[in-house]
Amino acid sequence: MKKWISFILILAVCLSLLTGCGTNPTQSNQNADIERIDAAAADTQTPETETSGKVRIAALKGPTAMGMVQLMSEADAGTLGDSNYQFSIVAAPDEVTPLLVQGKLDIAAVPANLASVLYNNTGGEIQVVAVNTLGVLYIVESGNLISSVEDLRGKTIYASGKGSTPEYALNYILEENGIDPSQDVSIEWKSEHTECLTALMSQENGIAMLPQPFVTTAQAKSEKIRLALDMTEEWNKLQEESEEPSALITGVVVVRKAFAEENPDAVSAFLTHYEQSVQYVNQNVDAAAELVGTYDIVPAEVAKKAIPYCNITFIEGDEMKNKLSGYLNVLFQQNEKSIGGAVPGDDFYYSRR
């Protein structure tokens, strides 16, 4: 009992370091998050064993859930035949973590660094089975000045997510392009994406770093806003000469190790269905967007425009390990707490039998 309570209290600190697609919480919201986690800790019990036969799955609103919509639709329609899934879509990571550690969830789509935090603070009881979302961060502008990272030199960039992975990703890309984040650019950190947008729109040739699908929502409000740089592409350029290139990663899918060991066929079946769902979403954007709206992830009209820019993917096995381990190493070098204090070992990476 004490181990689980201690773990969730540690998460209260780590959650402030996580990235996501919603707004960055203010201090009052962070305090509310901690109160919810403390309340969950009070109710924490020894991990449960599922007896209903259902595979219990959770995903966060945003791109990490978008790739699941075709699978959710088929599961709800009862057309899969080989599995019985129970899906939950939640708004924040702190709604998922207590359920995972209590054994009330089997599989979850979560931020990539949260997966590492979970692994480190449960003694390896959480494994990652797939990368499901690459980077969703973009440099946007209200002018037409930025066509390369070098063009950011001497500019002011509005961003939210200081002390979390957006800051680490931006710093890494700037530094690797020979730009000192503390000397060669001015980064003005805002508490929310909406504040970045206000600052962006208030001046000519404004520049901001924003995530999808917020970028699409912002563009719907103003024709002045244009995509200047895809941070995922910029990360990939830096990795081109690497023997084992990493990637800028937003989301992954994790499984409880105990569940995976007891139900390898169920995990394999889920991964097969999930990969097919991701392919469907990327190849049938209009239909997928309607499903995204149906499941109240984001409005269908936003999803239709955002999906092509959300980098929804399915990567497993050795490629997953290479890309994710490199990404976590970058975060570790900038702030070890962002991944739970240590780079995960090989047992963090699940491989189908």
Side-chain angles (χ1 to χ4, degrees):
M1 166 73 87
K2 291 182 179 179
K3 180 180 77 171
W4 294 110
I5 293 175
S6 298
F7 161 67
I8 295 179
L9 292 175
I10 291 170
L11 272 179
V13 177
C14 293
L15 279 172
S16 66
L17 300 170
L18 301 176
T19 185
C21 298
T23 55
N24 192 51
T26 61
Q27 184 61 51
S28 61
N29 287 338
Q30 290 174 356
N31 292 337
D33 289 342
I34 292 173
E35 290 176 2
R36 288 196 296 271
I37 294 169
D38 288 343
D43 294 334
T44 302
Q45 304 171 7
T46 302
E48 299 176 355
T49 300
E50 169 63 15
T51 59
S52 68
K54 293 182 178 179
V55 181
R56 301 159 299 171
I57 304 164
L60 299 173
K61 283 192 172 185
T64 56
M66 289 180 182
M68 285 190 184
V69 290
Q70 193 253 1
L71 172 54
M72 290 190 289
S73 178
E74 288 199 344
D76 288 344
T79 59
L80 292 176
D82 61 346
S83 299
N84 186 8
Y85 297 122
Q86 177 180 307
F87 288 94
S88 302
I89 300 175
V90 300
D94 64 300
E95 297 180 58
V96 175
T97 49
L99 298 178
L100 271 173
V101 300
Q102 293 172 14
K104 295 178 180 179
L105 284 175
D106 304 310
I107 295 171
V110 299
N113 60 325
L114 175 56
S116 179
V117 171
L118 287 165
Y119 168 87
N120 280 313
N121 288 287
T122 61
E125 291 303 311
I126 298 296
Q127 293 180 296
V128 61
V129 295
V131 171
N132 70 350
T133 318
L134 297 177
V136 296
L137 292 171
Y138 291 82
I139 297 294
V140 298
E141 62 174 336
S142 58
N144 194 28
L145 298 178
I146 308 301
S147 60
S148 69
V149 176
E150 177 60 30
D151 291 337
L152 294 173
R153 188 183 297 272
K155 303 296 194 301
T156 296
I157 305 169
Y158 300 104
S160 63
K162 183 173 176 57
S164 62
T165 49
E167 179 183 17
Y168 309 143
L170 179 58
N171 285 349
Y172 173 72
I173 290 171
L174 290 173
E175 289 167 355
E176 292 300 309
N177 280 276
I179 298 174
D180 185 338
S182 64
Q183 300 288 332
D184 300 330
V185 295
S186 176
I187 305 173
E188 294 196 13
W189 294 100
K190 305 295 185 180
S191 62
E192 296 181 353
H193 301 319
T194 52
E195 292 184 33
C196 294
L197 179 59
T198 299
L200 176 67
M201 296 301 300
S202 67
Q203 61 180 278
E204 187 177 358
N205 299 321
I207 302 167
M209 183 175 70
L210 295 171
Q212 285 287 6
F214 191 84
V215 171
T216 298
T217 302
Q219 287 181 308
K221 295 180 179 179
S222 173
E223 296 179 355
K224 292 175 57 179
I225 299 175
R226 63 174 288 269
L227 292 178
L229 299 174
D230 180 340
M231 300 296 275
T232 301
E233 290 183 1
E234 297 305 323
W235 186 294
N236 291 343
K237 290 177 185 177
L238 298 173
Q239 296 291 316
E240 285 177 352
E241 303 302 321
S242 175
E243 292 183 4
E244 296 181 345
S246 68
L248 176 55
I249 296 171
T250 295
V252 299
V253 181
V254 298
V255 65
R256 288 189 298 108
K257 183 178 181 180
F259 179 83
E261 290 177 343
E262 295 169 6
N263 304 278
D265 292 341
V267 174
S268 182
F270 165 77
L271 291 174
T272 296
H273 291 310
Y274 186 43
E275 182 176 18
Q276 293 169 349
S277 182
V278 167
Q279 291 173 351
Y280 176 88
V281 169
N282 285 325
Q283 295 171 6
N284 302 274
V285 173
D286 289 358
E290 292 301 320
L291 289 175
V292 169
T294 298
Y295 285 102
D296 196 29
I297 298 170
V298 297
E301 60 272 18
V302 173
K304 183 177 179 179
K305 295 180 180 179
I307 286 173
Y309 301 100
C310 284
N311 289 317
I312 296 167
T313 190
F314 180 91
I315 303 171
E316 62 176 331
D318 290 341
E319 184 182 2
M320 168 188 72
K321 180 180 178 181
N322 291 339
K323 290 183 181 298
L324 181 55
S325 62
Y327 171 70
L328 294 176
N329 265 296
V330 169
L331 296 190
F332 178 79
Q333 294 302 318
Q334 298 206 27
N335 186 339
E336 61 184 39
K337 290 182 180 180
S338 68
I339 64 167
V343 177
D346 290 345
D347 60 326
F348 177 56
Y349 303 95
Y350 179 84
S351 181
R352 290 201 234 191
R353 296 179 185 176

